[in-house]
Amino acid sequence: MKINILTLFPDMFSVFEHSIIGRARNSGILDITTTNIRDFSASKHKKVDDYPYGGGAGMVMSAQPVVECIKAVKQNNSGKVIFLGPRGKTFNQEVAKEISKLDEVIFVCGHYEGIDERAYKYFDLELSLGDFVLTGGEMAAIPIIDSICRLIPGVLSSEESFVEESFYSGLLEHPQYTRPEVFEDESVPSVLLSGHHENIRKWRRKMSLRITKERRPDLFQNVKLTKEDIKLLKEYEKNVD
């Protein structure tokens, strides 16, 4: 996948030079490039913001450098232009899956108190990380891009690495354990030591269902329960009683 990030602060994305994403870039699976919006300012002093018409606190990002930056990047990237802003669709795992299927994509990071409305016609999609305020679009872009990239074939070591993770199946992930077998008098659940793969699978599914129902009922209500799921939940509730 080719990803272009349009930003006023390219250095913030050095995080993608490390770990899993860094390895995927080195192997050629991911092509992540940052472009400084400031380089496209028509202002003598490379100014990219100004006071809002009508008054108000803060500065507004000018349309001119943003639009010119998009036009320049579009010469080598024909993908959708995604703006990170508060009016956008809330990002989730389903959105991540859809974007991960694209070959090319462009992310635009806003900053200051907002962006000139006239730039919006150049955006194909606006995404929000959630109902809270960040200092800039860069802060939202990093987790969104990471979430998308790890779904691309070859980025993780195996498909299983993300298929069983939280949110991928609509459920929170089951508890995980590693050595030692006993830590502070607490033992690893015996089923995980049994070597019985079917029982382990059922236990993990049961735990995912239970944890999601208890901690994220909003997610749980959208899960299509199978006959086995209903049986596993009844087993858990019976043992709790």
Side-chain angles (χ1 to χ4, degrees):
M1 174 184 269
K2 177 187 286 188
I3 298 174
N4 282 88
I5 306 169
L6 283 50
T7 172
L8 294 175
F9 304 97
D11 290 345
M12 292 183 69
F13 295 94
S14 61
V15 64
F16 291 135
E17 297 173 5
H18 307 283
S19 190
I20 293 171
I21 303 302
R23 291 197 299 270
R25 293 176 72 182
N26 291 334
S27 65
I29 297 173
L30 296 175
D31 179 2
I32 301 178
T33 304
T34 57
T35 304
N36 196 328
I37 296 172
R38 195 177 299 277
D39 292 341
F40 295 85
S41 172
S43 166
K44 177 182 178 180
H45 301 290
K46 297 300 179 182
K47 188 175 175 62
V48 294
D49 62 339
D50 213 326
Y51 295 102
Y53 279 115
M59 306 290 278
V60 175
M61 205 165 171
S62 304
Q64 181 272 322
V66 175
V67 170
E68 293 304 319
C69 187
I70 291 173
K71 289 180 178 179
V73 171
K74 274 284 190 179
Q75 294 179 20
N76 296 304
N77 186 326
S78 60
K80 286 186 175 182
V81 179
I82 301 176
F83 177 62
L84 288 311
R87 301 191 309 205
K89 178 178 182 179
T90 302
F91 184 77
N92 58 28
Q93 189 69 13
E94 290 304 313
V95 177
K97 291 179 191 177
E98 290 303 311
I99 297 177
S100 72
K101 298 173 185 176
L102 304 177
D103 294 324
E104 299 181 337
V105 65
I106 299 170
F107 288 94
V108 180
C109 302
H111 220 78
Y112 309 117
E113 290 301 314
I115 189 167
D116 191 306
E117 190 71 20
R118 292 167 291 187
Y120 273 83
K121 61 178 174 286
Y122 290 90
F123 306 147
D124 299 302
L125 175 66
E126 183 174 1
L127 290 177
S128 169
L129 198 58
D131 297 332
F132 49 89
V133 181
L134 296 171
T135 55
E138 291 80 8
M139 297 297 189
I142 290 172
I144 286 175
I145 293 171
D146 181 78
S147 177
I148 292 165
C149 288
R150 63 201 317 280
L151 296 177
I152 296 171
V155 172
L156 298 185
S157 58
S158 68
E159 186 178 54
E160 183 181 10
S161 295
F162 65 78
V163 167
E164 293 189 359
E165 288 178 337
S166 292
F167 303 116
Y168 192 86
S169 64
L171 295 172
L172 297 180
E173 192 176 17
H174 53 77
Q176 298 278 17
Y177 297 86
T178 187
R179 292 180 177 84
E181 185 176 323
V182 179
F183 176 71
E184 294 185 344
D185 296 325
E186 184 176 356
S187 300
V188 174
S190 59
V191 64
L192 299 179
L193 306 174
S194 68
H196 195 299
H197 297 298
E198 179 61 10
N199 286 347
I200 292 172
R201 182 194 67 79
K202 288 182 178 180
W203 180 86
R204 285 175 169 170
R205 182 68 178 181
K206 184 193 299 183
M207 291 299 102
S208 288
L209 290 165
R210 187 264 297 178
I211 291 172
T212 306
K213 184 177 181 181
E214 291 178 354
R215 302 185 186 181
R216 289 293 304 273
D218 56 318
L219 289 177
F220 186 79
Q221 67 180 4
N222 294 320
V223 176
K224 294 182 179 179
L225 299 176
T226 65
K227 291 182 179 179
E228 181 185 64
D229 290 339
I230 295 171
K231 181 179 179 181
L232 291 172
L233 279 171
K234 286 182 178 178
E235 287 178 2
Y236 170 74
E237 291 168 356
K238 181 179 180 181
N239 289 335
V240 170
D241 294 338

